[in-house]
Amino acid sequence: MTSYVSHTTVDCADAYALSRWWQAVLDYREDPDDPNEPGHEECMISSRDGRHRLLFIEVPEAKQVKNRIHLDLRPVEGTRDAELTRLTEFGAAVVFDRRNADGTGWVVLADPEGNEFCILRSDAEIAGGRP
């Protein structure tokens, strides 16, 4: 017997606002039969193929320390650095820049509520042997 990950839950102060932010970042969708609305304390979004879901739940406590679990993102198109530019223009904050001189590495970012996530090189960058 095994288990599978039903969804990833993110504690937050404003479930609707944060779900909308991540929905735009990831090109996810909400359930048309149960749309997220302002004031909802729980908001679910899912990948276009429905295989991954994120649930945002409002909690009274503010984030206090580094996440013990986080998302690692790879650009679907383009490069890590182009995606980094897009995400920072969208409101993500750079927490740590772990890029190396040879082009390898990643960047740790934070969403509008301070939840960390990483942006990695794209599959095309890795497959092409580009740093």
Side-chain angles (χ1 to χ4, degrees):
M1 179 187 271
T2 61
S3 298
Y4 70 95
V5 176
S6 169
H7 55 273
T8 304
T9 301
V10 178
D11 291 349
C12 57
D14 186 335
Y16 178 74
L18 200 57
S19 72
R20 297 293 287 181
W21 191 85
W22 278 101
Q23 185 176 347
V25 165
L26 298 172
D27 191 30
Y28 275 28
R29 61 179 179 78
E30 59 187 44
D31 182 345
D33 295 326
D34 185 18
N36 300 322
E37 296 182 8
H40 282 181
E41 294 177 359
E42 296 184 6
C43 294
M44 180 83 75
I45 59 174
S46 62
S47 59
R48 298 250 170 219
D49 64 7
R51 296 179 72 186
H52 184 252
R53 298 183 302 169
L54 289 172
L55 175 63
F56 299 87
I57 296 180
E58 292 184 7
V59 297
E61 307 85 16
K63 181 179 177 299
Q64 297 182 14
V65 297
K66 182 182 182 303
N67 298 14
R68 295 296 300 237
I69 189 170
H70 67 268
L71 301 176
D72 287 339
L73 308 181
R74 279 197 200 280
V76 174
E77 299 172 346
T79 66
R80 173 200 56 212
D81 294 345
E83 184 67 355
L84 173 62
T85 298
R86 183 182 82 89
L87 295 173
T88 56
E89 287 174 353
F90 201 63
V94 174
V95 177
F96 297 109
D97 190 334
R98 304 288 190 208
R99 291 177 288 182
N100 300 310
D102 67 358
T104 60
W106 64 94
V107 180
V108 180
L109 300 165
D111 71 15
E113 289 202 15
N115 301 299
E116 293 97 359
F117 64 100
C118 295
I119 185 70
L120 312 172
R121 292 184 300 155
S122 69
D123 290 337
E125 288 176 287
I126 294 167
R130 287 177 274 167

